């Protein structure tokens, strides 16, 4: 195999810190999009789906801040990344290593940026990412995708929704995703968003054209309240009725996150697919409740008599858990559940005292936290002829405004990225 070590490797590895690199051609183009951290671990398979320019960051200890493409990148000259090839990205001795199937190699101990000059994008482990790809070696190798807001919304829509849903439902989802994205910026200091459900699931751009159609039809549209994007949370299915935000999470009641009737009854996640049975030891361990002799469980309610959660008391401790906390600690599908003493099958609707050996059975409806837009409810409304405006108004109320984000220095339309 005729392995070729590109000049960039020599420059970056041997001489970069000692003289101005002779390979600098131009300043890097600025993507100025959202910087999304990808949950990828090396080695990663890379294919560049078009001509790709390579940049390096000639500053050793720069603390990254989004957008990363605004950092002082400098281009490495020459055809350094042949896009017809498949490359393997790895971290070798603390240094970025890109190795092609033909033995071409690029190594660097400084951050690298791959920029798709014709907008073709990248394939990473089989998933398609637009914009720019940034490789950041620091205590491991971190992967970032810098992407326009509209491309990001399309990627999240493809990861969080079904292509088979009616277009109006997908448009409602796209507006919610865009609003929630802008509301969420700032959670992570050195980048804008992660690609997990902590922010929103983002697995690159989907192949189905309908997602792009929904995003394009709502380009720049967001929901706002008091002049700022709303916390447009959404979930799969509430199980018949959505929840007030302050009853699921601690916080101020928001006028746009009120409990409303859901239309998710025919949806895939309306009923839990199974019951969840916990023995005494599993339950007390998962909740971190120290018990010596007996456990007293006391439900607590809102003014409408809806149960918000339970107190768990023993002789040693007392802890309060909201339904949403129990969902998280016990890995339940939703906070919309009923609890039964098993096998007696007595539902716990008031204070009870349990002895060691008692089992609890959880059964319920819905999937997700149950606040804001219900995705299966939106799909049902759309199939009944409601528009995405009407769907959004139903789930977020009449106090929010639907407005169009015309321009913002951080969120240009895709065409302005070139
Ligand atoms: Zn996150």
């Amino acid at each position: 195999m005729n392995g070729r070590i590109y000049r960039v490797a020599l420059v970056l590895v041997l001489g970069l810190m000692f003289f101005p690199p002779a390979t600098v051609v131009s300043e890097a183009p600025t993507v100025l999009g959202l910087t999304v951290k990808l949950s990828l671990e090396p080695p990663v398979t890379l294919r560049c789906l078009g001509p790709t320019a390579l940049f390096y960051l000639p500053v050793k200890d720069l603390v990254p801040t989004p957008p990363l493409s605004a950092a002082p990148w400098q281009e490495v000259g020459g055809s350094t990344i042949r896009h017809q090839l498949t490359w393997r990205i790895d971290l070798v001795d603390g240094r970025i290593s890109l190795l092609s199937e033909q033995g071409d190699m690029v190594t660097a101990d400084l951050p690298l940026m791959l920029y798709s000059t014709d907008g073709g994008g990248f394939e990473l482990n089989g998933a398609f990412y637009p914009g720019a790809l940034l490789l950041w070696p620091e205590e491991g190798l971190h992967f970032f995708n810098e992407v326009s807001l509209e491309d990001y919304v399309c990627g999240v829509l493809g990861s969080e929704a079904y292509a088979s849903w009616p277009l109006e439902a997908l448009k409602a989802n796209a507006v919610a995703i865009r609003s929630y994205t802008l509301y969420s910026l700032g959670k992570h200091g050195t980048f804008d968003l992660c690609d997990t459900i902590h922010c929103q699931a983002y697995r690159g751009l989907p192949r189905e054209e309908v997602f792009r159609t929904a995003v394009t039809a709502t380009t720049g549209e967001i929901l706002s309240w008091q002049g700022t994007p709303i916390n447009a949370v959404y979930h799969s299915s509430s199980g018949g009725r959505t929840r007030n935000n302050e009853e699921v999470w601690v916080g101020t009641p928001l006028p746009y996150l009120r409990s409303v009737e859901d239309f998710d009854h025919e949806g895939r996640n309306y009923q839990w697919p199974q019951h969840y049975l916990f023995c005494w030891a599993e339950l007390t361990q998962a909740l971190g409740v120290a018990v010596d002799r007996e456990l007293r469980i006391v439900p607590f309610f809102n003014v409408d008599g809806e149960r918000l959660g339970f107190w768990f008391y023993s002789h040693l401790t007392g802890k309060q858990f909201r339904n949403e906390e129990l969902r998280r600690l016990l890995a339940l599908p939703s906070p919309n559940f009923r609890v039964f003493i098993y096998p007696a099958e007595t539902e716990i609707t008031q204070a009870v005292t349990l002895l060691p050996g008692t089992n609890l059975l959880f059964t319920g409806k819905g999937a997700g936290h149950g606040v804001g837009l219900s995705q299966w409810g939106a799909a049902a409304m759309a199939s009944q002829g409601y528009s995405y405006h009407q769907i959004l108004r139903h789930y977020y109320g009449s106090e929010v405004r639907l407005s169009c984000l015309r321009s913002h220095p951080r969120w240009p339309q895709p065409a302005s990225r070139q």
Side-chain angles (χ1 to χ4, degrees), residues 128-195:
F128 171 54
Y129 291 87
L133 170 66
L134 300 104
L135 309 173
W136 206 283
E138 187 179 333
E139 297 176 4
L141 180 55
H142 305 287
F143 295 75
F144 298 97
N145 183 206
E146 193 146 306
V147 58
S148 74
L149 173 63
E150 296 304 310
D151 279 347
Y152 174 74
V153 171
C154 189
V156 173
L157 187 64
S159 304
E160 299 268 14
Y162 290 103
S164 57
W165 282 344
L167 183 60
E168 291 301 303
L170 295 177
K171 286 158 69 177
N173 275 267
V175 174
I177 290 167
R178 192 179 292 108
S179 310
Y180 182 72
T181 299
L182 300 189
Y183 178 88
S184 302
L185 294 180
K187 276 187 193 171
H188 298 280
T190 55
F191 53 94
D192 287 314
L193 302 147
C194 68
D195 68 351

Side-chain angles (χ1 to χ4, degrees), residues 323-367:
N323 294 331
E324 175 66 11
E325 286 178 281
L326 292 171
R327 165 174 97 103
R328 184 171 52 80
L329 292 169
L330 302 176
L332 303 171
S334 77
N336 184 2
F337 52 75
R338 300 164 69 190
V339 187
F340 297 85
I341 299 167
Y342 188 84
E345 301 201 358
T346 308
E347 184 173 1
I348 301 178
T349 57
Q350 55 189 349
V352 293
T353 300
L354 305 179
L355 298 174
T358 308
N359 300 319
L360 291 184
L361 184 78
F362 290 70
T363 179
K365 296 175 185 171

Side-chain angles (χ1 to χ4, degrees), residues 53-312:
L54 180 67
F55 299 84
Y56 70 94
L57 198 56
V59 185
K60 255 290 183 190
D61 299 315
L62 185 127
V63 177
T65 51
L68 290 184
S69 69
W73 298 93
Q74 297 205 328
E75 186 171 7
V76 178
S79 54
T80 47
I81 299 289
R82 287 199 288 163
H83 65 267
Q84 301 89 343
L85 304 181
T86 299
W87 296 75
R88 175 187 160 104
I89 306 173
D90 210 344
L91 191 68
V92 179
D93 297 330
R95 204 171 268 163
I96 303 170
S97 160
L98 285 91
L99 180 64
S100 83
E101 60 199 327
Q102 294 190 1
D104 300 349
M105 178 182 281
V106 173
T107 68
D109 59 357
L110 294 170
L112 293 179
M113 176 166 80
L114 285 73
Y115 178 75
S116 182
T117 54
D118 70 347
F122 308 92
E123 201 178 280
L124 292 171
N125 287 352
F128 171 54
Y129 291 87
L133 170 66
L134 300 104
L135 309 173
W136 206 283
E138 187 179 333
E139 297 176 4
L141 180 55
H142 305 287
F143 295 75
F144 298 97
N145 183 206
E146 193 146 306
V147 58
S148 74
L149 173 63
E150 296 304 310
D151 279 347
Y152 174 74
V153 171
C154 189
V156 173
L157 187 64
S159 304
E160 299 268 14
Y162 290 103
S164 57
W165 282 344
L167 183 60
E168 291 301 303
L170 295 177
K171 286 158 69 177
N173 275 267
V175 174
I177 290 167
R178 192 179 292 108
S179 310
Y180 182 72
T181 299
L182 300 189
Y183 178 88
S184 302
L185 294 180
K187 276 187 193 171
H188 298 280
T190 55
F191 53 94
D192 287 314
L193 302 147
C194 68
D195 68 351
T196 74
I197 57 169
H198 171 265
C199 288
Q200 296 176 95
Y202 171 70
R203 297 190 290 270
L205 286 184
R207 299 183 192 283
E208 298 91 341
E209 195 54 38
V210 68
F211 294 122
R212 178 62 73 184
T213 304
V215 172
T216 303
T218 62
T219 298
E221 289 185 8
I222 59 163
L223 297 169
S224 59
W225 180 63
Q226 295 187 338
T228 56
I230 68 165
N231 182 16
V233 287
Y234 56 92
H235 61 278
S236 176
S237 185
S238 73
R241 189 163 187 87
T242 69
R243 297 287 185 277
N244 293 319
N245 68 292
E246 75 280 8
E247 294 178 353
V248 174
W249 306 297
V250 175
T252 308
L254 292 168
Y256 56 82
L257 295 179
R258 298 297 84 204
S259 172
V260 296
E261 181 187 3
D262 200 358
F263 298 94
D264 59 336
H265 301 76
E266 303 296 322
R268 189 178 297 173
N269 292 329
Y270 182 70
Q271 291 283 356
W272 285 7
Q274 65 179 83
H275 304 315
Y276 291 80
L277 183 64
F278 294 90
C279 72
W280 177 271
E282 288 171 332
L283 186 77
T284 54
Q285 185 178 4
L287 301 183
V289 178
V291 183
D292 52 356
R293 296 193 293 277
E294 58 186 31
L295 184 66
R296 185 161 177 79
I297 302 180
V298 183
F300 62 97
F301 304 87
N302 66 10
V303 291
D304 298 322
E306 294 168 350
R307 193 198 69 234
L308 301 182
F310 293 95
W311 279 94
F312 286 74

